[in-house]
Amino acid sequence: AQSVTQLGSHVSVSEGALVLLRCNYSSSVPPYLFWYVQYPNQGLQLLLKYTSAATLVKGINGFEAEFKKSETSFHLTKPSAHMSDAAEYFCAVTPPSGNTPLVFGKGTRLSVIA
Amino acid sequence: DTAVSQTPKYLVTQMGNDKSIKCEQNLGHDTMYWYKQDSKKFLKIMFSYNNKELIINETVPNRFSPKSPDKAHLNLHINSLELGDSAVYFCASSRIGGGGPFFGQGTRLTVV
């Protein structure tokens, strides 16, 4: 079975500081990996995805993530946090074949301090 | 146009009632899902429906039943609602081959 672990249920950064949200996966086959963002009282929006092409993936809103097989990690980063980045972030995993539903991590709440 | 739309956005009902949540996608996707998000924000798959094949999550009580009249719609019917059913329910859709599902805005169900 596949799973993801998000380290840190809550991360707080200052405006303009580096954002680093951690995600480690467990999978018996090379997986597809995703990061979603959820703003308060809204649905989930896809930030970026890794689907076995380039290991460094760029997404929307200045976010990027790097797939590291040796570390089984897919950490999300952004060089400079904005107040508008405050939200809940979810890492998710699925095998590359078929339409197996995503398995989500427990989420990391990002707070941005002015 | 909204890609994945759910109605209603909020639903407050009494224990024991039966209710339905509707979902429609206009993306031409073949697969649709229902996810449940609990009070701790944890997201768990309930059902997936791919070209009329229903995949049931065995941990979901049989009071929950998805119904798909066509490829663009996947409704969720819940019988005999219980307090523990209170949650946010998300509909999502995706195309075959992956790429990440698109999510609706969610339906916040409150059972009193």
CSV table of all heavy atoms in Angstrom, one decimal, chain A residues 42-104:
chain,number,residue,atom,x,y,z
A,42,GLN,N,-12.7,26.3,1.2
A,42,GLN,CA,-12.6,26.0,-0.3
A,42,GLN,C,-12.2,24.6,-0.5
A,42,GLN,O,-11.9,23.8,0.3
A,42,GLN,CB,-11.7,27.0,-0.9
A,42,GLN,CG,-12.1,28.5,-0.9
A,42,GLN,CD,-11.3,29.4,-1.7
A,42,GLN,OE1,-10.7,28.9,-2.7
A,42,GLN,NE2,-11.3,30.6,-1.4
A,43,GLY,N,-12.3,24.2,-1.8
A,43,GLY,CA,-11.9,22.9,-2.2
A,43,GLY,C,-10.3,22.9,-2.4
A,43,GLY,O,-9.6,23.8,-2.0
A,44,LEU,N,-9.9,21.7,-2.9
A,44,LEU,CA,-8.4,21.5,-3.1
A,44,LEU,C,-8.0,22.0,-4.5
A,44,LEU,O,-8.7,21.6,-5.4
A,44,LEU,CB,-8.0,20.1,-2.9
A,44,LEU,CG,-7.9,19.6,-1.4
A,44,LEU,CD1,-9.3,19.4,-0.8
A,44,LEU,CD2,-7.1,18.4,-1.3
A,45,GLN,N,-6.9,22.7,-4.5
A,45,GLN,CA,-6.4,23.1,-5.8
A,45,GLN,C,-5.0,22.5,-6.0
A,45,GLN,O,-4.2,22.5,-5.2
A,45,GLN,CB,-6.2,24.7,-5.8
A,45,GLN,CG,-5.7,25.3,-7.1
A,45,GLN,CD,-5.6,26.8,-7.0
A,45,GLN,OE1,-5.8,27.4,-5.9
A,45,GLN,NE2,-5.4,27.4,-8.1
A,46,LEU,N,-4.8,22.0,-7.2
A,46,LEU,CA,-3.6,21.3,-7.5
A,46,LEU,C,-2.4,22.4,-7.7
A,46,LEU,O,-2.6,23.3,-8.5
A,46,LEU,CB,-3.7,20.5,-8.8
A,46,LEU,CG,-2.4,19.8,-9.3
A,46,LEU,CD1,-2.0,18.7,-8.3
A,46,LEU,CD2,-2.7,19.2,-10.7
A,47,LEU,N,-1.4,22.2,-6.9
A,47,LEU,CA,-0.2,23.1,-7.0
A,47,LEU,C,0.8,22.6,-8.0
A,47,LEU,O,1.3,23.4,-8.8
A,47,LEU,CB,0.5,23.2,-5.6
A,47,LEU,CG,0.0,24.1,-4.6
A,47,LEU,CD1,0.9,24.0,-3.3
A,47,LEU,CD2,0.1,25.6,-5.1
A,48,LEU,N,1.1,21.3,-7.9
A,48,LEU,CA,2.1,20.7,-8.8
A,48,LEU,C,2.0,19.2,-8.7
A,48,LEU,O,1.4,18.7,-7.8
A,48,LEU,CB,3.5,21.2,-8.6
A,48,LEU,CG,4.0,21.2,-7.1
A,48,LEU,CD1,4.4,19.8,-6.7
A,48,LEU,CD2,5.2,22.2,-6.9
A,49,LYS,N,2.7,18.5,-9.7
A,49,LYS,CA,2.6,17.1,-9.7
A,49,LYS,C,3.9,16.5,-10.3
A,49,LYS,O,4.6,17.2,-11.2
A,49,LYS,CB,1.4,16.6,-10.5
A,49,LYS,CG,1.5,17.0,-12.0
A,49,LYS,CD,0.2,16.7,-12.7
A,49,LYS,CE,0.3,17.2,-14.2
A,49,LYS,NZ,-1.0,17.1,-14.9
A,50,TYR,N,4.3,15.4,-9.8
A,50,TYR,CA,5.4,14.6,-10.4
A,50,TYR,C,4.9,13.4,-11.0
A,50,TYR,O,4.2,12.5,-10.3
A,50,TYR,CB,6.4,14.3,-9.3
A,50,TYR,CG,7.4,13.2,-9.7
A,50,TYR,CD1,8.5,13.6,-10.6
A,50,TYR,CD2,7.3,11.9,-9.4
A,50,TYR,CE1,9.4,12.7,-11.0
A,50,TYR,CE2,8.2,11.0,-9.8
A,50,TYR,CZ,9.3,11.3,-10.7
A,50,TYR,OH,10.2,10.4,-11.1
A,51,THR,N,5.2,13.2,-12.3
A,51,THR,CA,4.7,12.0,-13.0
A,51,THR,C,5.8,11.4,-13.8
A,51,THR,O,5.6,11.0,-15.0
A,51,THR,CB,3.5,12.4,-13.9
A,51,THR,OG1,3.9,13.5,-14.8
A,51,THR,CG2,2.3,12.9,-13.1
A,52,SER,N,6.9,11.2,-13.2
A,52,SER,CA,8.1,10.5,-13.7
A,52,SER,C,8.8,11.2,-14.8
A,52,SER,O,9.6,10.6,-15.5
A,52,SER,CB,7.7,9.1,-14.1
A,52,SER,OG,7.0,9.1,-15.3
A,53,ALA,N,8.6,12.5,-15.0
A,53,ALA,CA,9.4,13.2,-16.0
A,53,ALA,C,10.5,13.9,-15.2
A,53,ALA,O,11.3,13.3,-14.5
A,53,ALA,CB,8.5,14.2,-16.7
A,54,ALA,N,10.6,15.2,-15.3
A,54,ALA,CA,11.7,16.0,-14.6
A,54,ALA,C,11.5,15.8,-13.1
A,54,ALA,O,10.4,15.9,-12.6
A,54,ALA,CB,11.6,17.4,-15.0
A,55,THR,N,12.6,15.7,-12.4
A,55,THR,CA,12.5,15.5,-10.9
A,55,THR,C,12.2,16.8,-10.2
A,55,THR,O,11.7,16.8,-9.1
A,55,THR,CB,13.8,14.8,-10.3
A,55,THR,OG1,14.9,15.7,-10.7
A,55,THR,CG2,14.0,13.4,-10.9
A,56,LEU,N,12.6,17.9,-10.8
A,56,LEU,CA,12.3,19.2,-10.2
A,56,LEU,C,11.0,19.7,-10.9
A,56,LEU,O,11.0,20.0,-12.1
A,56,LEU,CB,13.4,20.2,-10.3
A,56,LEU,CG,13.2,21.6,-9.7
A,56,LEU,CD1,13.0,21.5,-8.2
A,56,LEU,CD2,14.4,22.5,-10.1
A,57,VAL,N,10.0,19.9,-10.1
A,57,VAL,CA,8.7,20.3,-10.7
A,57,VAL,C,8.3,21.7,-10.2
A,57,VAL,O,8.4,22.0,-9.0
A,57,VAL,CB,7.6,19.3,-10.3
A,57,VAL,CG1,6.3,19.7,-10.9
A,57,VAL,CG2,8.0,17.9,-10.6
A,58,LYS,N,7.9,22.5,-11.2
A,58,LYS,CA,7.5,23.9,-10.9
A,58,LYS,C,6.0,23.9,-10.9
A,58,LYS,O,5.4,23.3,-11.9
A,58,LYS,CB,8.1,24.9,-11.8
A,58,LYS,CG,9.6,25.0,-11.6
A,58,LYS,CD,10.2,26.1,-12.5
A,58,LYS,CE,11.7,26.1,-12.4
A,58,LYS,NZ,12.2,26.4,-11.0
A,59,GLY,N,5.4,24.6,-10.0
A,59,GLY,CA,3.9,24.7,-10.0
A,59,GLY,C,3.4,26.1,-10.0
A,59,GLY,O,4.2,27.1,-10.4
A,60,ILE,N,2.2,26.3,-9.6
A,60,ILE,CA,1.6,27.6,-9.5
A,60,ILE,C,2.1,28.4,-8.3
A,60,ILE,O,2.5,27.8,-7.3
A,60,ILE,CB,0.1,27.6,-9.6
A,60,ILE,CG1,-0.5,26.8,-8.4
A,60,ILE,CG2,-0.4,26.9,-10.9
A,60,ILE,CD1,-2.0,26.9,-8.3
A,61,ASN,N,1.9,29.7,-8.3
A,61,ASN,CA,2.1,30.6,-7.2
A,61,ASN,C,3.6,30.6,-6.7
A,61,ASN,O,3.8,30.9,-5.5
A,61,ASN,CB,1.2,30.3,-6.0
A,61,ASN,CG,-0.3,30.4,-6.4
A,61,ASN,OD1,-0.6,31.1,-7.4
A,61,ASN,ND2,-1.1,29.8,-5.7
A,62,GLY,N,4.5,30.2,-7.6
A,62,GLY,CA,5.9,30.2,-7.2
A,62,GLY,C,6.4,29.0,-6.4
A,62,GLY,O,7.6,29.0,-6.0
A,63,PHE,N,5.6,28.0,-6.3
A,63,PHE,CA,6.0,26.8,-5.6
A,63,PHE,C,6.7,25.8,-6.5
A,63,PHE,O,6.5,25.8,-7.7
A,63,PHE,CB,4.8,26.1,-5.0
A,63,PHE,CG,4.2,26.8,-3.7
A,63,PHE,CD1,3.2,27.7,-3.8
A,63,PHE,CD2,4.7,26.5,-2.5
A,63,PHE,CE1,2.7,28.3,-2.7
A,63,PHE,CE2,4.2,27.1,-1.3
A,63,PHE,CZ,3.2,28.0,-1.5
A,64,GLU,N,7.6,25.0,-5.9
A,64,GLU,CA,8.2,23.9,-6.6
A,64,GLU,C,8.5,22.8,-5.7
A,64,GLU,O,8.5,23.0,-4.4
A,64,GLU,CB,9.5,24.4,-7.3
A,64,GLU,CG,10.6,24.9,-6.4
A,64,GLU,CD,11.9,25.3,-7.2
A,64,GLU,OE1,11.7,25.9,-8.3
A,64,GLU,OE2,13.0,25.0,-6.7
A,65,ALA,N,8.8,21.6,-6.2
A,65,ALA,CA,9.1,20.4,-5.4
A,65,ALA,C,10.1,19.6,-6.2
A,65,ALA,O,10.1,19.6,-7.4
A,65,ALA,CB,7.8,19.7,-5.1
A,66,GLU,N,10.9,18.9,-5.4
A,66,GLU,CA,11.9,18.0,-6.0
A,66,GLU,C,11.6,16.6,-5.6
A,66,GLU,O,11.6,16.3,-4.4
A,66,GLU,CB,13.3,18.4,-5.7
A,66,GLU,CG,14.4,17.6,-6.4
A,66,GLU,CD,15.7,18.2,-6.2
A,66,GLU,OE1,15.9,19.1,-5.4
A,66,GLU,OE2,16.7,17.7,-6.9
A,67,PHE,N,11.5,15.7,-6.5
A,67,PHE,CA,11.4,14.2,-6.3
A,67,PHE,C,12.8,13.7,-6.0
A,67,PHE,O,13.7,13.7,-6.9
A,67,PHE,CB,10.7,13.5,-7.4
A,67,PHE,CG,10.7,12.0,-7.3
A,67,PHE,CD1,9.8,11.4,-6.5
A,67,PHE,CD2,11.5,11.2,-8.1
A,67,PHE,CE1,9.7,10.1,-6.3
A,67,PHE,CE2,11.5,9.8,-8.0
A,67,PHE,CZ,10.6,9.3,-7.1
A,68,LYS,N,13.0,13.1,-4.9
A,68,LYS,CA,14.3,12.5,-4.5
A,68,LYS,C,14.0,11.0,-4.2
A,68,LYS,O,13.6,10.7,-3.0
A,68,LYS,CB,15.0,13.2,-3.4
A,68,LYS,CG,15.4,14.6,-3.7
A,68,LYS,CD,16.3,15.2,-2.6
A,68,LYS,CE,16.8,16.6,-3.0
A,68,LYS,NZ,17.6,17.2,-1.9
A,69,LYS,N,14.3,10.1,-5.1
A,69,LYS,CA,14.1,8.7,-4.9
A,69,LYS,C,14.9,8.2,-3.7
A,69,LYS,O,14.4,7.4,-2.9
A,69,LYS,CB,14.4,7.9,-6.2
A,69,LYS,CG,14.0,6.5,-6.1
A,69,LYS,CD,14.3,5.8,-7.5
A,69,LYS,CE,14.0,4.3,-7.4
A,69,LYS,NZ,14.2,3.6,-8.7
A,70,SER,N,16.1,8.6,-3.6
A,70,SER,CA,17.0,8.0,-2.6
A,70,SER,C,16.5,8.4,-1.2
A,70,SER,O,16.8,7.7,-0.3
A,70,SER,CB,18.4,8.6,-2.8
A,70,SER,OG,18.5,10.0,-2.7
A,71,GLU,N,15.8,9.5,-1.1
A,71,GLU,CA,15.3,9.9,0.2
A,71,GLU,C,13.8,9.7,0.3
A,71,GLU,O,13.2,10.0,1.4
A,71,GLU,CB,15.6,11.4,0.4
A,71,GLU,CG,17.1,11.8,0.4
A,71,GLU,CD,17.3,13.3,0.5
A,71,GLU,OE1,16.4,14.0,0.8
A,71,GLU,OE2,18.5,13.7,0.4
A,72,THR,N,13.2,9.1,-0.7
A,72,THR,CA,11.7,8.9,-0.8
A,72,THR,C,11.0,10.2,-0.3
A,72,THR,O,10.1,10.2,0.5
A,72,THR,CB,11.2,7.7,0.1
A,72,THR,OG1,11.6,7.9,1.4
A,72,THR,CG2,11.9,6.4,-0.5
A,73,SER,N,11.4,11.3,-0.9
A,73,SER,CA,10.9,12.6,-0.5
A,73,SER,C,10.3,13.4,-1.7
A,73,SER,O,10.8,13.2,-2.8
A,73,SER,CB,11.9,13.4,0.3
A,73,SER,OG,12.9,13.9,-0.6
A,74,PHE,N,9.4,14.3,-1.3
A,74,PHE,CA,8.9,15.2,-2.3
A,74,PHE,C,8.5,16.5,-1.6
A,74,PHE,O,7.3,16.8,-1.5
A,74,PHE,CB,7.6,14.6,-3.0
A,74,PHE,CG,7.1,15.3,-4.2
A,74,PHE,CD1,7.9,15.6,-5.3
A,74,PHE,CD2,5.8,15.7,-4.3
A,74,PHE,CE1,7.5,16.2,-6.4
A,74,PHE,CE2,5.3,16.4,-5.4
A,74,PHE,CZ,6.1,16.6,-6.5
A,75,HIS,N,9.5,17.2,-1.1
A,75,HIS,CA,9.3,18.4,-0.3
A,75,HIS,C,8.9,19.6,-1.2
A,75,HIS,O,9.4,19.8,-2.3
A,75,HIS,CB,10.5,18.8,0.5
A,75,HIS,CG,11.0,17.7,1.4
A,75,HIS,ND1,10.2,16.7,2.0
A,75,HIS,CD2,12.3,17.3,1.8
A,75,HIS,CE1,10.9,15.9,2.7
A,75,HIS,NE2,12.1,16.2,2.6
A,76,LEU,N,8.0,20.4,-0.6
A,76,LEU,CA,7.5,21.6,-1.3
A,76,LEU,C,8.2,22.8,-0.8
A,76,LEU,O,8.4,23.0,0.4
A,76,LEU,CB,6.0,21.7,-1.0
A,76,LEU,CG,5.2,22.9,-1.7
A,76,LEU,CD1,5.1,22.7,-3.2
A,76,LEU,CD2,3.9,23.1,-1.1
A,77,THR,N,8.7,23.7,-1.7
A,77,THR,CA,9.4,24.9,-1.3
A,77,THR,C,8.9,26.1,-2.1
A,77,THR,O,8.3,26.0,-3.2
A,77,THR,CB,10.9,24.8,-1.6
A,77,THR,OG1,11.1,24.5,-3.0
A,77,THR,CG2,11.5,23.6,-0.8
A,78,LYS,N,9.1,27.2,-1.5
A,78,LYS,CA,8.9,28.5,-2.1
A,78,LYS,C,9.9,29.5,-1.5
A,78,LYS,O,10.0,29.6,-0.3
A,78,LYS,CB,7.4,29.0,-1.9
A,78,LYS,CG,7.1,30.3,-2.6
A,78,LYS,CD,5.7,30.7,-2.4
A,78,LYS,CE,5.4,32.1,-3.1
A,78,LYS,NZ,4.0,32.5,-3.1
A,79,PRO,N,10.6,30.2,-2.4
A,79,PRO,CA,11.7,31.1,-1.9
A,79,PRO,C,11.3,32.2,-0.9
A,79,PRO,O,12.0,32.5,0.0
A,79,PRO,CB,12.3,31.7,-3.2
A,79,PRO,CG,11.8,30.8,-4.3
A,79,PRO,CD,10.5,30.3,-3.8
A,80,SER,N,10.1,32.7,-1.2
A,80,SER,CA,9.7,33.9,-0.4
A,80,SER,C,8.2,33.8,-0.1
A,80,SER,O,7.4,33.9,-1.0
A,80,SER,CB,10.0,35.2,-1.1
A,80,SER,OG,9.5,36.3,-0.5
A,81,ALA,N,7.8,33.7,1.2
A,81,ALA,CA,6.4,33.5,1.5
A,81,ALA,C,5.7,34.8,1.5
A,81,ALA,O,6.2,35.9,1.8
A,81,ALA,CB,6.3,33.0,3.0
A,82,HIS,N,4.4,34.7,1.0
A,82,HIS,CA,3.5,35.8,1.0
A,82,HIS,C,2.4,35.5,2.0
A,82,HIS,O,2.1,34.4,2.3
A,82,HIS,CB,2.9,36.0,-0.4
A,82,HIS,CG,3.9,36.4,-1.4
A,82,HIS,ND1,3.7,36.3,-2.8
A,82,HIS,CD2,5.1,36.9,-1.3
A,82,HIS,CE1,4.7,36.7,-3.5
A,82,HIS,NE2,5.7,37.1,-2.6
A,83,MET,N,1.7,36.6,2.4
A,83,MET,CA,0.6,36.4,3.4
A,83,MET,C,-0.5,35.5,2.7
A,83,MET,O,-1.1,34.7,3.4
A,83,MET,CB,0.0,37.8,3.7
A,83,MET,CG,0.9,38.7,4.5
A,83,MET,SD,1.5,38.0,6.1
A,83,MET,CE,-0.1,38.1,7.0
A,84,SER,N,-0.6,35.6,1.4
A,84,SER,CA,-1.7,34.9,0.7
A,84,SER,C,-1.4,33.4,0.7
A,84,SER,O,-2.2,32.6,0.2
A,84,SER,CB,-1.9,35.4,-0.7
A,84,SER,OG,-0.7,35.3,-1.4
A,85,ASP,N,-0.2,33.0,1.0
A,85,ASP,CA,0.2,31.5,1.0
A,85,ASP,C,-0.4,30.8,2.2
A,85,ASP,O,-0.3,29.6,2.3
A,85,ASP,CB,1.7,31.4,1.0
A,85,ASP,CG,2.3,31.9,-0.3
A,85,ASP,OD1,1.6,31.7,-1.4
A,85,ASP,OD2,3.4,32.4,-0.3
A,86,ALA,N,-0.9,31.5,3.2
A,86,ALA,CA,-1.4,30.9,4.4
A,86,ALA,C,-2.6,30.0,4.0
A,86,ALA,O,-3.6,30.4,3.5
A,86,ALA,CB,-1.9,31.9,5.4
A,87,ALA,N,-2.5,28.7,4.3
A,87,ALA,CA,-3.5,27.7,3.9
A,87,ALA,C,-3.1,26.3,4.4
A,87,ALA,O,-2.0,26.2,5.1
A,87,ALA,CB,-3.6,27.7,2.3
A,88,GLU,N,-3.8,25.3,4.1
A,88,GLU,CA,-3.5,23.9,4.4
A,88,GLU,C,-2.9,23.3,3.1
A,88,GLU,O,-3.5,23.5,2.0
A,88,GLU,CB,-4.8,23.2,4.8
A,88,GLU,CG,-4.6,21.9,5.4
A,88,GLU,CD,-4.3,21.9,7.0
A,88,GLU,OE1,-4.7,23.0,7.6
A,88,GLU,OE2,-3.8,21.0,7.5
A,89,TYR,N,-1.8,22.6,3.3
A,89,TYR,CA,-1.2,21.9,2.1
A,89,TYR,C,-1.2,20.4,2.3
A,89,TYR,O,-0.8,19.9,3.4
A,89,TYR,CB,0.3,22.5,2.0
A,89,TYR,CG,0.3,23.9,1.6
A,89,TYR,CD1,0.1,24.9,2.5
A,89,TYR,CD2,0.5,24.3,0.2
A,89,TYR,CE1,0.1,26.3,2.1
A,89,TYR,CE2,0.5,25.6,-0.2
A,89,TYR,CZ,0.3,26.6,0.8
A,89,TYR,OH,0.3,27.9,0.4
A,90,PHE,N,-1.5,19.7,1.2
A,90,PHE,CA,-1.6,18.3,1.3
A,90,PHE,C,-0.7,17.7,0.2
A,90,PHE,O,-0.7,18.0,-0.9
A,90,PHE,CB,-3.1,17.8,1.0
A,90,PHE,CG,-4.0,18.2,2.1
A,90,PHE,CD1,-4.8,19.4,1.9
A,90,PHE,CD2,-4.3,17.4,3.2
A,90,PHE,CE1,-5.7,19.8,2.9
A,90,PHE,CE2,-5.2,17.8,4.1
A,90,PHE,CZ,-5.9,18.9,4.0
A,91,CYS,N,0.1,16.7,0.7
A,91,CYS,CA,0.8,15.8,-0.3
A,91,CYS,C,0.0,14.6,-0.5
A,91,CYS,O,-0.7,14.1,0.4
A,91,CYS,CB,2.2,15.5,0.4
A,91,CYS,SG,3.3,14.5,-0.6
A,92,ALA,N,0.1,14.0,-1.7
A,92,ALA,CA,-0.7,12.9,-2.1
A,92,ALA,C,0.1,12.0,-3.0
A,92,ALA,O,1.0,12.4,-3.8
A,92,ALA,CB,-2.0,13.3,-2.7
A,93,VAL,N,-0.3,10.7,-3.0
A,93,VAL,CA,0.5,9.7,-3.8
A,93,VAL,C,-0.5,8.7,-4.5
A,93,VAL,O,-1.6,8.5,-4.0
A,93,VAL,CB,1.4,8.9,-2.9
A,93,VAL,CG1,0.6,8.1,-1.9
A,93,VAL,CG2,2.3,8.0,-3.7
A,94,THR,N,-0.1,8.3,-5.7
A,94,THR,CA,-0.9,7.2,-6.4
A,94,THR,C,0.1,6.5,-7.3
A,94,THR,O,1.1,7.0,-7.7
A,94,THR,CB,-2.0,7.9,-7.2
A,94,THR,OG1,-2.9,6.9,-7.7
A,94,THR,CG2,-1.5,8.7,-8.4
A,95,PRO,N,-0.2,5.2,-7.6
A,95,PRO,CA,0.6,4.5,-8.5
A,95,PRO,C,0.4,5.0,-9.9
A,95,PRO,O,-0.7,5.6,-10.2
A,95,PRO,CB,0.1,3.0,-8.4
A,95,PRO,CG,-1.2,3.1,-7.8
A,95,PRO,CD,-1.2,4.3,-6.9
A,96,PRO,N,1.3,4.9,-10.8
A,96,PRO,CA,1.2,5.6,-12.1
A,96,PRO,C,0.3,4.9,-13.1
A,96,PRO,O,-0.1,5.5,-14.1
A,96,PRO,CB,2.7,5.5,-12.7
A,96,PRO,CG,3.3,4.3,-12.0
A,96,PRO,CD,2.7,4.3,-10.6
A,97,SER,N,-0.2,3.7,-12.8
A,97,SER,CA,-1.1,3.1,-13.8
A,97,SER,C,-2.5,3.2,-13.3
A,97,SER,O,-2.8,3.2,-12.1
A,97,SER,CB,-0.7,1.6,-13.9
A,97,SER,OG,-0.8,1.0,-12.6
A,98,GLY,N,-3.4,3.3,-14.3
A,98,GLY,CA,-4.8,3.3,-14.0
A,98,GLY,C,-5.3,4.6,-13.3
A,98,GLY,O,-4.7,5.6,-13.4
A,99,ASN,N,-6.4,4.4,-12.6
A,99,ASN,CA,-7.0,5.6,-11.9
A,99,ASN,C,-7.2,5.3,-10.4
A,99,ASN,O,-8.2,5.6,-9.8
A,99,ASN,CB,-8.4,5.9,-12.5
A,99,ASN,CG,-8.2,6.9,-13.7
A,99,ASN,OD1,-7.5,7.9,-13.6
A,99,ASN,ND2,-8.7,6.5,-14.8
A,100,THR,N,-6.2,4.7,-9.8
A,100,THR,CA,-6.3,4.5,-8.4
A,100,THR,C,-6.4,5.9,-7.6
A,100,THR,O,-5.6,6.8,-7.9
A,100,THR,CB,-5.0,3.8,-7.9
A,100,THR,OG1,-4.8,2.6,-8.6
A,100,THR,CG2,-5.1,3.5,-6.4
A,101,PRO,N,-7.4,6.0,-6.7
A,101,PRO,CA,-7.5,7.3,-6.0
A,101,PRO,C,-6.3,7.7,-5.3
A,101,PRO,O,-5.5,6.9,-4.8
A,101,PRO,CB,-8.7,7.0,-5.1
A,101,PRO,CG,-9.4,5.8,-5.7
A,101,PRO,CD,-8.4,5.0,-6.3
A,102,LEU,N,-6.1,9.0,-5.2
A,102,LEU,CA,-5.0,9.5,-4.4
A,102,LEU,C,-5.1,9.2,-2.9
A,102,LEU,O,-6.2,9.1,-2.4
A,102,LEU,CB,-4.9,11.0,-4.5
A,102,LEU,CG,-4.7,11.7,-5.9
A,102,LEU,CD1,-4.5,13.2,-5.8
A,102,LEU,CD2,-3.5,11.1,-6.6
A,103,VAL,N,-4.0,8.9,-2.3
A,103,VAL,CA,-3.9,8.7,-0.9
A,103,VAL,C,-3.2,10.0,-0.3
A,103,VAL,O,-2.1,10.3,-0.8
A,103,VAL,CB,-3.1,7.5,-0.5
A,103,VAL,CG1,-2.9,7.4,1.0
A,103,VAL,CG2,-3.8,6.2,-0.9
A,104,PHE,N,-3.9,10.7,0.6
A,104,PHE,CA,-3.4,12.0,1.1
A,104,PHE,C,-2.6,11.8,2.4
A,104,PHE,O,-2.9,11.0,3.2
A,104,PHE,CB,-4.6,12.9,1.2
A,104,PHE,CG,-5.1,13.5,0.0
A,104,PHE,CD1,-6.1,12.8,-0.7
A,104,PHE,CD2,-4.6,14.7,-0.5
A,104,PHE,CE1,-6.6,13.4,-1.9
A,104,PHE,CE2,-5.1,15.3,-1.7
A,104,PHE,CZ,-6.1,14.6,-2.4
